Amino acid sequence: MLALRLTRTAHLAVHLRRLLVALASTGTGFLLLCALGHALSHPDTPGASALRLAWCAAPLAATVHLAVAVARTDPGTRPRSGLSAIGLGPGRLMAVSATTTALSAALGSVAALLAFLHLRGDLTGRPPSGRVAADALAVGQSLPAPAVLTLLVLVPAFASAAVAHTLRPRDPRPAAAAAPRGYGRFGAYGWGKARETFGAYGRFGSRIAAEPARAAAPADGHAAAPAGSRAAGAARVGAGGALQTQVSDPRPPAPAPAPAPAPADATPQTPEAAPDPPTEPAPRPQNTTALPWGFAVLAAGLTVETYTGDAAAASAPGTAPSAGVLIGWALTALGFALAGPGLTHLCGRLLQAARPGALRLLAGRVLMEESHRVGRPLGVVAAVAAAAYVAATVYDGDGPAFGPLATLGALLVAGCTVATLLTAAVAAKHARADTTDALLRLGAPPATLRAAAAVRAAALLALFGPLTLIVAVLAALPLDH
């Protein structure tokens, strides 16, 4: 009931995004039912029917990806302060979001069933015309209710499960433990947060070991060294491990005054323990850690596709892609998705290289900050663009027939991936709204912000465009025979 109320009182943009999920669920459910109809019409070729059903995994994955992106941007199920007191904690809000996603996908599945029955002629009484439609719709045959129900439940079940897994409550990350110390660059001891300049190793006696001096230091933190010595002005190691150098003072330090004696009748007091220093939050992990894994999975996908594509072209030229090609493309898309955040983060770093100005610095910082939001959808869009290039190369001329169902599947996958990328971009824009307002209050002209957005788009296109083209050409080589 709460999910229905939140759905009814949501904004128009939220309703439009949920309508996109319902439309994607309608297309995916219709393709699944058409695969069932082909299996009923051709009981002697179960392999071809199974291959059709396997190719429905692509629009199913695209629909689930879109549903997760829409659930992340839903403001009605976002945790707020005070909701836990009335029983709407993170777990309950996650369940509400998963229920809302299941309702949207279920509405699309019902629409797919109605469209399938209408095209079959079960609702109007007029059978469809055309051999392709008759084969895909199993005209004149009864539909098994358990199979229809199972196929229609797939999209709501997978979408709600993915949303529940993505929005599950997570415990706050523990404070970062003390980093292990060791001799780093130019002899610096510890993992310094402050960057050293070249030659810092040889300045002001920084070669002298700092740890023995710290061990012999009294409680006030100053090293016990003779006056005027190099150790008195040597490089010290701060709390964060960074080198701090100071010029040696030739004057001897003043002796510390002796503490006043306590009165005889005073009760000895136990010194209070000093409060622990505030711990800094754990830094966000770098988005470049999955970049090598992404390239490895991408290479594995191209290898599988090349091997299976050559074998299929040699055995049966001119036929539809086999299941091995589907596995290869799945691995390729997964590799793009894994490498997307790292590539976006790298693009932001490259923008800030070679003495950047204010425009490039702003664009690069925003790309680095938003790489965890838009990187993965951008990688999926790149994989879909590569697949579109391969399809345009293979299916022109004497290639296999690209029928209406294949066209529907391709449009569904492309539309879902583009909608997911746009949804993630809008979410990232809303996330940095406070920063944008602060820049405008400081006097930054709006034209500069628009120019920074154009620079980000151009940089991403310059990085992902050639990479997508290279992968597409390599993937089309074993299929273009």
Side-chain angles (χ1 to χ4, degrees):
M1 187 62 65
L2 179 60
L4 292 176
R5 289 181 179 179
L6 291 176
T7 302
R8 183 175 56 86
T9 59
H11 297 285
L12 180 60
V14 179
H15 284 303
L16 290 178
R17 290 194 290 264
R18 291 172 181 169
L19 182 60
L20 287 178
V21 175
L23 291 177
S25 177
T26 301
T28 305
F30 183 78
L31 291 177
L32 290 172
L33 292 178
C34 287
L36 175 62
H38 185 273
L40 294 176
S41 302
H42 302 81
D44 52 343
T45 57
S49 301
L51 184 59
R52 283 174 174 261
L53 184 61
W55 274 103
C56 292
L60 177 61
T63 303
V64 171
H65 195 203
L66 176 61
V68 171
V70 169
R72 281 178 171 175
T73 58
D74 192 353
T77 57
R78 191 170 301 165
R80 297 181 181 90
S81 59
L83 291 182
S84 298
I86 59 175
L88 292 178
R92 182 73 180 275
L93 291 179
M94 178 268 296
V96 170
S97 182
T99 305
T100 305
T101 303
L103 289 176
S104 302
L107 179 62
S109 297
V110 172
L113 178 60
L114 294 178
F116 186 77
L117 294 178
H118 176 75
L119 293 178
R120 274 172 51 92
D122 295 340
L123 301 180
T124 60
R126 292 179 299 178
S129 59
R131 182 177 176 274
V132 177
D135 290 344
L137 301 176
V139 178
Q141 300 185 22
S142 60
L143 296 176
V148 173
L149 183 62
T150 301
L151 292 178
L152 292 180
V153 166
L154 285 179
V155 180
F158 278 103
S160 59
V163 169
H165 176 73
T166 304
L167 302 181
R168 68 189 185 277
R170 295 180 176 89
D171 294 334
R173 294 181 179 178
R181 296 186 175 184
Y183 287 94
R185 185 164 58 93
F186 302 128
Y189 187 77
W191 296 97
K193 293 183 179 179
R195 298 187 63 179
E196 304 171 4
T197 58
F198 185 81
Y201 176 72
R203 289 201 301 266
F204 305 116
S206 59
R207 292 186 299 270
I208 301 177
E211 189 65 25
R214 292 183 61 194
D220 58 352
H222 297 285
S229 62
R230 295 178 60 90
R236 304 180 187 274
V237 179
L243 283 176
Q244 301 174 357
T245 59
Q246 61 181 11
V247 181
S248 59
D249 191 2
R251 294 174 298 179
D265 57 347
T267 305
Q269 299 179 357
T270 305
E272 297 181 358
D276 296 335
T279 56
E280 298 181 356
R284 180 180 298 170
Q286 296 292 337
N287 293 317
T288 57
T289 54
L291 187 59
W293 293 102
F295 281 119
V297 175
L298 180 62
L302 290 177
T303 303
V304 172
E305 185 185 354
T306 301
Y307 177 76
T308 56
D310 289 337
S315 60
T319 59
S322 60
V325 177
L326 174 62
I327 296 175
W329 269 115
L331 292 176
T332 303
L334 180 60
F336 264 116
L338 290 176
L343 290 175
T344 307
H345 194 274
L346 178 62
C347 187
R349 283 189 175 274
L350 292 178
L351 274 179
Q352 302 174 73
R355 302 177 64 87
L359 186 62
R360 285 198 296 132
L361 186 62
L362 178 61
R365 289 293 183 181
V366 172
L367 274 183
M368 292 175 60
E369 183 67 22
E370 296 178 355
S371 59
H372 66 287
R373 292 180 181 269
V374 301
R376 189 162 297 171
L378 189 59
V380 176
V381 169
V384 173
Y389 176 85
V390 173
T393 304
V394 174
Y395 287 97
D396 60 347
D398 299 334
F402 202 73
L405 295 180
T407 304
L408 175 61
L411 292 178
L412 183 61
V413 171
C416 287
T417 52
V418 173
T420 303
L421 178 60
L422 294 179
T423 303
V426 171
K429 180 181 179 180
H430 290 167
R432 67 173 187 273
D434 295 339
T435 304
T436 303
D437 295 340
L439 289 176
L440 292 176
R441 287 195 303 267
L442 290 174
T448 302
L449 301 180
R450 290 192 294 267
V455 169
R456 293 196 302 269
L460 291 176
L461 184 61
L463 180 63
F464 279 88
L467 178 62
T468 303
L469 184 60
I470 292 173
V471 172
V473 170
L474 292 177
L477 288 178
L479 300 177
D480 192 9
H481 291 289

